[in-house]
Amino acid sequence: MVDYHAANQSYQYGPSSGGNGAGGGGSMGDYMAQEDDWDRDLLLDPAWEKQQRKTFTAWCNSHLRKAGTQIENIDEDFRDGLKLMLLLEVISGERLPKPERGKMRVHKINNVNKALDFIASKGVKLVSIGAEEIVDGNAKMTLGMIWTIILRFAIQDISVEETSAKEGLLLWCQRKTAPYKNVNVQNFHISWKDGLAFNALIHRHRPELIEYDKLRKDDPVTNLNNAFEVAEKYLDIPKMLDAEDIVGTLRPDEKAIMTYVSCFYHAFSGAQKAETAANRICKVLAVNQENEHLMEDYERLASDLLEWIRRTIPWLEDRVPQKTIQEMQQKLEDFRDYRRVHKPPKVQEKCQLEINFNTLQTKLRLSNRPAFMPSEGRMVSDINNCWQHLEQAEKGYEEWLLNEIRRLERLDHLAEKFRQKASIHEAWTDGKEAMLKHRDYETATLSDIKALIRKHEAFESDLAAHQDRVEQIAAIAQELNELDYYDSHNVNTRCQKICDQWDALGSLTHSRREALEKTEKQLETIDQLHLEYAKRAAPFNNWMESAMEDLQDMFIVHTIEEIEGLISAHDQFKSTLPDADREREAILAIHKEAQRIAESNHIKLSGSNPYTTVTPQIINSKWEKVQQLVPKRDHALLEEQSKQQSNEHLRRQFASQANIVGPWIQTKMEEIGRISIEMNGTLEDQLSHLKQYERSIVDYKPNLDLLEQQHQLIQEALIFDNKHTNYTMEHIRVGWEQLLTTIARTINEVENQILTRDAKGISQEQMQEFRASFNHFDKDHGGALGPEEFKACLISLGYDVENDRQKQTGSMDPDDFRALLISTGYSLGDAEFNRIMSVVDPNHSGLVTFQAFIDFMSRETTDTDTADQVIASFKVLAGDKNFITAEELRRELPPDQAEYCIARMAPYQGSDAVPGALDYKSFSTALYGESDL
């Protein structure tokens, strides 16, 4: 038995075949690799086997009768190999080796092997089908072999619009039966059960043979018999199936139906000329419809994006400050949502809009259509200008928000400090005016007067000590006014009240002193100890009050150095506490000494020091308060130190990631620039490499997201500077957006080059030669050529600029060739070169991009569909008439494209016009921009 497993052929058919064929364009191999592999199990279904036997037997006999013979039993009549070889000679038109006429088994095997060898020589790889099995009458293998022959010689060459054999046959059936009601061909089994599809195929090509309107969907047997009988009688298609076999089976055998339908295809193949003409028109119209759809999409997307930008810019330019830090923080949170949620999709829309615009222009150039000009104000440049305005407003808005938050934070701190100092001062001044106005000295004894004088002196000392606090309150109020604090009116009112009261206290103090001095001569000696106590207690009391005020004073810091400075100052303060404690003990000792002397001398004291209101209880109470405030201050400073250490960690964490992401983005931008210049390999390889490169960039997005999270933590912690990195989140975002846009544009450029190459038939070697020449003259690697560089590039490729034609110059280096031209006095024609520049640089920018260069070279070296070709195609459909009717368009074209033509064709005005005649010539020229559509 011949081993067909080892056959080195392009096609592989057989019961277990699963591979794809490559020799015939892949269509048969693809089909065999999908749903039509020979399935042993399906042959176990008696109904399907019966249908295949009938169909395959009829198909074989339709060819064998040309040789004056036929078969009766398909698995018996091929066993000796003679009729099998005869069948192959008939269907192939070739001669096979001479068969052996002996009756022995070896003769039969040799004949079958000759047939199988011939099948294998046609690019078919037979798997698990051997000559012994055919000779033994194996029904499964015999049916599989016949199906393989049918595929190879009856179905393989069927192709509609570059589809595979099965798909092409199915598409042909769908197109031919599309106008018929109750017919929907989706497969080669149940779609044919009711018989209407068979009748529709016949009626489409030979309408006089079938009265299709009289057929009923609920009478499939009549429909099938009618189609089979008409086909056998008028189309020379033998009856391959019985109607009852098809109707009585839940799912008719697909191979049997395909075999039967392929006979109809070959019978009607003569109508292919009109179909080809219709296909050409369909192709041209499809391109025009698609371009119009892309134009509408661009206008809609551009309008939506510009509207969003116009709505967003006023919001970003709004600089009206809020009164509280909470309101400003809410505005900052809204801005974060805008950056994270609202803007990224718009960035993608903008990038996609540019890509769509470039793709549309490329398609228009490839199809010889006029360039697309968007509505006024919707050009890509207009969108870029609006986008730049948006980003300028965005950058200024964020900076303003942060400055406002800093300002409000300082205002809140100053306002709280003002209220605290004002409350302390007001508490101190409470009752002071009444005390100064009291005329107790008029009825006091001499000793009382002396005590009042000393007490007044102590008060004046205390008053002077509070002068600094009043000045601080006034200074804070002034600063709040300068910073435009929203509650400045109440602050000014309270400050003015304190200042007026302070002036009144000064005036009253002076008046009381004058009154006391008038009676000073009446004073006698005063207890020096009380006086000394009062003098030492007053400053010590002020020191304690100042210490308590300082210990309770609010603080705000932004760096670890600032908090460490506060901790150092606090440690210095704590170092003075032992001396203060000794001073307190000394003051209390004075009071105790005065009491001891009074007791020892039986002096009755009034119970209080006449020279001061600062009692030992007050001193001890305040001292205890200071002792309580010190550890609280320690705790507050340590908490702030911990917070600043955490902030420093956030700075370093962000800086560490930013110092990686920032250079990475910059490196990738440089690599993309090199890739776009050093394109090597085929365009598909370049596109694949760029898309892999794009995926690697997209895969890096989690690093950017991590940086965003770290940046959000920094902003939530109100950290405004970072000395550990020069990269800000704004720089990173802009760099990332530019990186994504650049790689997308580069990919789009290669895709457009592929479109140009495929549409214009440019070879890979030509594309590489164009790229090499372009890169050679692109000295600054900017991706564009100046006029002189472009002229030199054209000459290096052998383009005669004076005569507008290419000439062979041999294989010469571009610089050597240009030097040769100059040395020989060759002159480039300015007029012709200016014409070329107007084509490749319509905007007169002075630069020629690689895409424009490729478009020009492709137009110079290839041909495309023209208006004359489309006119010729319409003339075929119109039966050589100078006009066409709506009925003819609807019959030959798909419904949507037929209606497209009817809606746009002008009435035909020629002398041979008939009612409803349409002018297809003016319509065709309008498609190519030679007149108005």
Side-chain angles (χ1 to χ4, degrees), residues 609-665:
N609 193 322
Y611 305 115
T612 182
T613 59
V614 180
T615 65
Q617 293 77 13
I618 292 175
I619 292 176
N620 286 331
S621 174
K622 291 184 178 180
W623 180 256
E624 290 177 2
K625 182 67 173 176
V626 170
Q627 295 295 318
Q628 294 171 0
L629 290 174
V630 167
K632 291 183 179 180
R633 186 71 167 184
D634 286 334
H635 180 69
L637 290 173
L638 289 176
E639 280 188 344
E640 184 62 29
Q641 185 183 36
S642 175
K643 175 184 175 183
Q644 291 303 322
Q645 288 174 345
S646 174
N647 290 350
E648 183 68 11
H649 172 71
L650 291 176
R651 290 188 183 96
R652 292 180 182 275
Q653 186 183 49
F654 176 83
S656 175
Q657 184 73 3
N659 289 336
I660 294 173
V661 174
W664 183 90
I665 291 176

Side-chain angles (χ1 to χ4, degrees), residues 289-301:
Q289 290 174 311
E290 181 184 5
N291 291 342
E292 289 182 358
H293 180 67
L294 290 175
M295 294 175 190
E296 294 171 358
D297 285 348
Y298 175 88
E299 292 285 346
R300 176 178 54 79
L301 291 174

Side-chain angles (χ1 to χ4, degrees), residues 515-580:
L516 292 173
E517 286 176 349
K518 287 180 183 179
T519 59
E520 187 177 9
K521 295 179 181 180
Q522 303 172 11
L523 299 176
E524 294 182 349
T525 60
I526 188 170
D527 191 342
Q528 292 299 322
L529 291 175
H530 279 187
L531 181 58
E532 183 180 358
Y533 170 87
K535 288 184 176 181
R536 294 182 67 174
F540 185 72
N541 180 60
N542 287 333
W543 175 85
M544 287 193 296
E545 287 184 348
S546 297
M548 288 189 294
E549 182 178 346
D550 291 339
L551 290 172
Q552 298 179 82
D553 190 18
M554 296 179 62
F555 58 84
I556 179 170
V557 295
H558 296 289
T559 65
I560 191 69
E561 291 80 6
E562 292 178 0
I563 189 61
E564 287 176 351
L566 290 178
I567 293 175
S568 176
H570 184 62
D571 290 341
Q572 291 178 2
F573 167 75
K574 289 193 294 184
S575 67
T576 65
L577 290 179
D579 292 337

Side-chain angles (χ1 to χ4, degrees), residues 446-454 523-526 611:
L446 184 58
S447 59
D448 294 334
I449 291 299
K450 290 183 178 294
L452 289 175
I453 291 175
R454 299 294 184 263
L523 299 176
E524 294 182 349
T525 60
I526 188 170
Y611 305 115

